């Protein structure tokens, strides 16, 4: 009897990794990275086929900072139509007094590896393993047992660009087709760190909040405003600070060529989501500070005399809510005091002093932890 027809095997996903190898780093990393990295990445991500292109060049001249090098690497990636890019540099990567081994930017889709930081022995092997680790981080799959299959599929697929599409329609299609890629980029980028780096605007915001908190007019307004109005004002303040950071910091990117549109739209969406989450954390921190400030600075008897109602938990909440909103608007005005190199660095990158090589993971049949998405 004839054998039943077997379903066709699924074609492996194909992704393109670009590796920029600086000349002095190439003296330490001599093997054919195109072959060795392809094999290591295929072992790390079963069901994928990797094309690795190695470019021997210098993207920036010292004393360029790591953020500038990441941006230059992204431009190189877009020009070459790579999916991801990693630079093996001979220059030290620093964050203040710290010497870094790895800098990654999931939003850009690029990473930097300082070859001198890999140590004096087994440089070749450690470089290959570290590049695999950087790719793993860029895909948001560094947690043990997490499968990035969905993000890999979306990264390998291109969104069709119809000539009649306007910017909004194309952005909506990119979002729908790359949702898990976007979530993985934002999660790996740790957007809550942005709030920690906004020290100058946070100082201005805290000062404006304290100044407003001790005024009876603010007490009366907070008592008279309902939740809907407070929510609307809060949204407007978060939006104002987000726009101040995105536009003032030059975080919005424009496509230079039509083939770059999808990656640029995805980059802008990830940047916007990162900044919004960071600003929300900032807003929440101000809310907590305003609540504590109200407990310390607003006397219950004076409040009751001025407003005509007792100062209870609900009143403290509305007072802190309105104060946080006003303080966030002050933060938007104070955003001009920020060093926007620091803002871009906080919005885009996270760093590692130590090298943590990533070896092959178990095959698909050995993985029992489901993918929970972004």
């Amino acid at each position: 009897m004839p054998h039943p027809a077997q379903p066709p095997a699924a074609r492996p996903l194909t992704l393109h990794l670009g590796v920029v190898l600086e000349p002095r780093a190439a003296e330490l990393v001599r093997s054919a990275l195109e072959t060795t990295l392809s094999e290591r990445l295929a072992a790390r991500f079963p069901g994928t086929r990797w094309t690795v292109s190695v470019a021997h060049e210098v993207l920036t001249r010292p004393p360029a900072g790591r953020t500038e090098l990441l941006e230059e690497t992204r431009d190189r990636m877009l020009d070459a139509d790579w999916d991801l890019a990693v630079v093996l540099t001979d220059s030290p990567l620093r964050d203040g007094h710290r010497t870094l081994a790895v800098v990654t930017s999931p939003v850009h889709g690029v990473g930097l590896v300082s070859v001198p930081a890999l140590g004096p022995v087994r440089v070749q092997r450690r470089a290959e393993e570290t590049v695999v680790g950087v790719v793993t981080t860029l895909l948001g799959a560094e947690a043990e047992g997490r499968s990035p299959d969905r993000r890999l599929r979306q990264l390998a697929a291109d969104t069709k660009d119809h000539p009649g599409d306007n910017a909004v329609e194309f952005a909506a299609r990119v979002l729908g087709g790359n949702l898990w890629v976007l979530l993985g980029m934002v999660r790996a980028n740790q957007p809550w760190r942005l709030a920690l780096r906004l020290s100058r605007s946070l100082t201005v915001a805290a000062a404006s909040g304290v100044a407003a908190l001790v005024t009876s007019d603010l007490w009366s307004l907070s008592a008279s405003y309902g939740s809907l109005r407070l929510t609307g004002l809060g949204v407007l303040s978060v939006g104002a600070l987000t726009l101040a950071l995105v536009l003032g910091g030059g975080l919005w990117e424009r496509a230079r060529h039509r083939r770059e549109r999808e990656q640029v739209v995805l980059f802008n969406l990830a940047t916007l989501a990162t900044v919004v989450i960071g600003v929300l954390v900032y807003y929440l921190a101000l809310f907590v500070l305003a609540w504590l400030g109200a407990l310390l600075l607003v006397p219950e008897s004076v409040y009751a005399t001025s407003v005509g109602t007792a100062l209870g938990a609900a009143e403290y909440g509305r007072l802190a809510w309105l104060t946080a909103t006003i303080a966030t608007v002050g933060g938007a005005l104070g955003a001009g005091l920020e060093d926007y190199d620091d803002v871009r660095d906080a919005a885009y990158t996270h760093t590692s002093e130590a090298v943590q090589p990533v070896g092959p993971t178990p095959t698909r049949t050995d993985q029992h932890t489901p993918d929970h998405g972004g």
Side-chain angles (χ1 to χ4, degrees), residues 158-170:
D158 293 327
T159 301
K160 293 183 179 179
D161 188 357
H162 302 303
D165 279 353
N166 59 39
V168 175
E169 291 173 336
F170 185 72

Side-chain angles (χ1 to χ4, degrees), residues 74-310:
R74 175 170 172 78
D75 289 341
R76 182 70 174 85
M77 181 183 74
L78 292 175
D79 289 338
D81 200 23
W82 297 332
D83 295 310
L84 300 168
V86 178
V87 175
L88 297 177
T89 179
D90 53 60
S91 301
L93 303 172
R94 298 190 182 280
D95 182 11
H97 298 293
R98 292 191 306 153
T99 299
L100 305 173
V102 174
V103 176
T104 57
S105 175
V107 172
H108 285 88
V110 303
L112 312 177
V113 177
S114 176
V115 175
L118 301 180
V121 297
R122 298 172 59 200
V123 177
Q124 177 70 48
R125 180 175 179 179
R126 288 174 66 82
E128 295 169 3
E129 292 175 342
T130 302
V131 170
V132 175
V134 169
V135 171
T136 302
T137 299
L138 296 178
L139 293 173
E142 68 278 7
E144 184 178 356
R146 176 173 289 131
S147 171
D149 288 355
R150 189 177 300 177
R151 286 190 293 279
L152 284 168
R153 286 196 300 271
Q154 291 182 331
L155 190 62
D158 293 327
T159 301
K160 293 183 179 179
D161 188 357
H162 302 303
D165 279 353
N166 59 39
V168 175
E169 291 173 336
F170 185 72
R173 294 213 335 272
V174 171
L175 177 61
N178 296 275
L179 181 59
W180 292 107
V181 174
L182 177 64
L183 292 175
M185 291 165 65
V186 173
R187 181 187 61 195
N189 208 41
Q190 301 175 1
W192 50 88
R193 296 178 310 111
L194 179 63
L196 302 177
R197 300 294 290 268
L198 298 178
S199 57
R200 294 181 180 89
S201 60
L202 186 60
T203 301
V204 173
S208 61
V210 169
L213 187 60
V214 296
T215 62
S216 59
D217 290 340
L218 182 72
W219 305 345
S220 299
L221 288 174
S222 67
S224 62
Y225 286 172
S227 298
L228 184 61
R229 175 171 289 186
L230 287 171
T231 300
L233 291 173
V235 170
L236 289 175
S237 68
V238 168
L241 182 53
T242 299
L243 286 177
L245 293 173
V246 171
L247 300 181
L251 305 182
W252 199 258
E253 191 173 271
R254 294 181 179 274
R256 298 163 300 174
H257 308 289
R258 194 170 187 87
R259 62 183 173 82
E260 297 177 359
R261 285 184 72 193
E262 180 178 2
Q263 287 217 42
V264 169
V265 168
L266 191 60
F267 169 84
N268 287 335
L269 290 173
T271 297
L272 186 60
T274 296
V275 175
V276 168
I277 294 173
V279 171
L280 288 174
V281 173
Y282 175 97
Y283 185 88
L284 180 60
L286 288 174
F287 177 83
V288 173
L289 290 174
W291 191 299
L292 295 175
L295 290 173
L296 294 173
L297 299 175
V298 181
E300 295 183 13
S301 58
V302 177
Y303 180 93
T305 301
S306 176
V307 179
T309 59

Side-chain angles (χ1 to χ4, degrees), residues 3 11 59 64 67 127 222 231 244 247 296 304 325:
H3 294 287
R11 292 190 303 173
L59 295 176
T67 303
S222 67
T231 300
L247 300 181
L296 294 173
T325 296

